[in-house]
Amino acid sequence: MIKNKKQHGGLRSGAGRRLNSGIYGEPTKVIRVPKSKVFDIKKYIIHSQAANVFNITKIKPSLSYQPLNLFEHKVSAGFPSPADDHVEKKLDLNEYLIKQKEATFFVRIKGDSMIGIGIHDNDIVIVDKSQKAITGDIVLASIDGDFTVKLLSNNKSKYRLLAANEKYKPIEINKSMQFEIWGVITGSIRKFK
Amino acid sequence: MIKNKKQHGGLRSGAGRRLNSGIYGEPTKVIRVPKSKVFDIKKYIIHSQAANVFNITKIKPSLSYQPLNLFEHKVSAGFPSPADDHVEKKLDLNEYLIKQKEATFFVRIKGDSMIGIGIHDNDIVIVDKSQKAITGDIVLASIDGDFTVKLLSNNKSKYRLLAANEKYKPIEINKSMQFEIWGVITGSIRKFK
DNA sequence: CATTTTGAATATTGTAACATAAATCAAGTT
DNA sequence: AACTTGATTTATGTTACAATATTCAAAATG
């Protein structure tokens, strides 16, 4: 059988994979980076598609708080002294970060699995369980017993959890999975010192 | 002049540039990344040797605050209901994040130039100007009129400002530069919703 | 005729290869 | 003795390449 040809396939228009059909959903570029940063960069880019596993410490919210003075001042040229009296409105960290204090709790994040959305090890996130999570919200959810913080999207009555960058493949939630939304992340705090 | 040779140079041991003598000071690797991330990644890697330029909004600190109830509960197996009564101590966001309220002010960070140390656009950082900045602190400083947030190191009475990763070249502060430390960053907050 | 299988076409993606630049040293030059 | 120069070696950005993935419609199957 030297020339038994023509079996399947063949030239046709429209064949081949689509543009930007890769995991990044956009054109890519090759760059050189220091070896020690490769892991961090990939974590930043790819951002775990699976549920993040992390330890949490729950902290109950403040029971009450009191609005305090807030000075705010736009600076572009010089640095304003903190003593400047350009008072614009009041600011209290509790008030600023908590809307529904009865329904709010804090979770201390352990691990670096959420760096892609700017949440680092030992940060505390503020969770409001009274808010109905809508598309685009960052939520605290549990999937099969693992807690995760992700962007929520729902697509025709199906929940999907997206990584920081919406281009990445979502976690589709199906009936066989234990799934629960614990609340909406409304903020985060970090203590350096 | 067909064979007038031997002019300069020649084989010798020790010639050539040193290992890891490049800008990264370590071996490098080529990776492919999404185009839209190239800029951010380079910013993260190189982490501007010059002062970061960013807009700031100063926010005066709270004038007073009130300790509030804090519930804390370690979780490893199950998720505790926020209604659980495992009160361990008190927590107030102001109290948690502010030590010296008279000397503390807030700065809203504009721009992504400090992502490398986990500070994102629109975050508010808490600055304590009463604390003496010591090696290892993250400080708000101004260099020749540009504000920057960096790790501080001082080396034989010379100040140096380091990027997030200490391997990168520091900014050496010399007498010809305007330089002032405005305070020590003691925390940061972010609001998602 | 409907469904499945198959291979060509096209794109992605990690890695290797390459070209240019930078750095270093000692021989040659002045 | 100081400077110049070119070979040597490494760094670094870009291109090339190989392997994989995806998509389509022709061919095969029933």
Side-chain angles (χ1 to χ4, degrees):
Chain A
M1 62 271 290
I2 301 118
K3 46 169 19 204
N4 64 332
K5 308 311 43 38
K6 218 46 152 59
Q7 300 199 342
H8 313 284
L11 172 64
R12 74 198 61 89
S13 68
R17 64 189 294 180
R18 295 292 88 105
L19 265 169
N20 301 329
S21 63
I23 54 177
Y24 302 129
E26 62 171 303
T28 61
K29 193 175 182 321
V30 170
I31 61 174
R32 184 179 295 278
V33 301
K35 228 170 174 176
S36 68
K37 292 260 175 287
V38 170
F39 185 71
D40 283 343
I41 291 169
K42 291 195 171 172
K43 214 163 40 173
Y44 168 66
I45 294 171
I46 305 273
H47 213 261
S48 124
Q49 253 100 277
N52 297 311
V53 179
F54 60 99
N55 301 319
I56 60 174
T57 300
K58 186 178 67 71
I59 302 170
K60 195 166 182 301
S62 306
L63 298 180
S64 67
Y65 53 79
Q66 174 184 41
L68 301 165
N69 288 333
L70 159 71
F71 296 68
E72 190 159 348
H73 185 62
K74 270 282 177 196
V75 194
S76 49
F79 192 88
S81 158
D84 281 354
D85 279 350
H86 296 105
V87 184
E88 294 186 5
K89 57 187 175 185
K90 297 210 170 218
L91 177 71
D92 177 278
L93 292 181
N94 294 318
E95 185 181 79
Y96 178 68
L97 291 169
I98 302 174
K99 275 185 206 166
Q100 307 273 114
K101 61 177 186 284
E102 303 79 9
T104 297
F105 60 99
F106 305 142
V107 174
R108 186 184 297 276
I109 302 297
K110 288 293 175 190
D112 289 327
S113 58
M114 273 148 310
I115 276 185
I117 52 177
I119 298 172
H120 292 231
D121 185 44
N122 225 38
D123 283 3
I124 291 177
V125 297
I126 295 133
V127 185
D128 185 339
K129 66 184 171 67
S130 73
Q131 288 191 40
K132 179 162 175 51
I134 60 171
T135 300
D137 282 354
I138 298 170
V139 299
L140 172 69
S142 62
I143 304 176
D144 294 338
D146 289 327
F147 285 97
T148 184
V149 170
K150 281 273 194 298
L151 278 168
L152 179 70
S153 149
N154 58 0
N155 189 1
K156 294 176 186 170
S157 81
K158 246 193 171 176
Y159 281 113
R160 295 192 304 164
L161 296 181
L162 310 180
N165 187 321
E166 301 202 11
K167 286 170 190 159
Y168 301 136
K169 287 178 186 164
I171 303 175
E172 290 270 1
I173 306 300
N174 57 51
K175 288 215 162 183
S176 69
M177 303 163 86
Q178 177 273 322
F179 175 65
E180 188 163 2
I181 293 180
W182 290 91
V184 177
I185 309 292
T186 62
S188 72
I189 65 177
R190 180 176 312 137
K191 201 172 168 181
F192 291 112
K193 192 174 178 181
Chain B
M1 57 274 287
I2 301 116
K3 50 182 356 220
N4 64 334
K5 308 318 34 47
K6 217 48 152 53
Q7 300 200 342
H8 312 285
L11 174 63
R12 74 199 62 90
S13 67
R17 61 189 294 180
R18 294 294 88 102
L19 265 170
N20 302 329
S21 64
I23 54 177
Y24 303 129
E26 61 171 301
T28 60
K29 194 174 180 321
V30 170
I31 62 175
R32 184 180 295 277
V33 302
K35 225 169 176 180
S36 68
K37 296 250 177 292
V38 170
F39 186 71
D40 283 343
I41 291 170
K42 290 194 172 173
K43 216 161 40 171
Y44 167 68
I45 293 170
I46 305 277
H47 214 264
S48 113
Q49 252 98 278
N52 295 312
V53 178
F54 60 100
N55 300 321
I56 61 175
T57 299
K58 186 178 67 71
I59 302 170
K60 197 167 181 302
S62 305
L63 297 180
S64 67
Y65 52 79
Q66 172 184 41
L68 301 166
N69 288 334
L70 159 72
F71 295 68
E72 191 159 348
H73 185 64
K74 269 283 179 196
V75 195
S76 48
F79 192 86
S81 156
D84 281 355
D85 279 350
H86 297 105
V87 183
E88 294 185 6
K89 59 185 175 186
K90 297 209 169 216
L91 176 71
D92 176 278
L93 293 181
N94 293 317
E95 186 179 80
Y96 178 71
L97 290 167
I98 302 172
K99 275 185 203 163
Q100 307 272 114
K101 63 176 185 286
E102 302 80 9
T104 297
F105 60 99
F106 305 141
V107 173
R108 187 184 296 277
I109 302 296
K110 288 295 177 189
D112 290 327
S113 58
M114 271 146 312
I115 276 184
I117 52 177
I119 297 172
H120 293 231
D121 183 45
N122 225 38
D123 282 4
I124 291 176
V125 297
I126 295 134
V127 185
D128 185 339
K129 65 186 173 66
S130 74
Q131 289 192 38
K132 180 166 174 50
I134 59 171
T135 300
D137 283 353
I138 298 169
V139 299
L140 172 69
S142 63
I143 304 176
D144 292 339
D146 289 327
F147 285 97
T148 185
V149 170
K150 280 273 196 297
L151 279 167
L152 179 69
S153 148
N154 60 359
N155 188 1
K156 294 175 184 168
S157 81
K158 247 196 172 174
Y159 282 112
R160 294 193 303 164
L161 296 180
L162 309 180
N165 188 319
E166 301 205 9
K167 283 172 188 155
Y168 301 133
K169 287 176 186 166
I171 304 175
E172 292 269 2
I173 306 301
N174 57 50
K175 289 215 162 184
S176 69
M177 303 162 88
Q178 176 273 323
F179 175 65
E180 188 163 1
I181 293 180
W182 289 91
V184 176
I185 309 291
T186 63
S188 70
I189 66 177
R190 180 175 312 136
K191 199 172 172 181
F192 290 112
K193 192 174 178 179

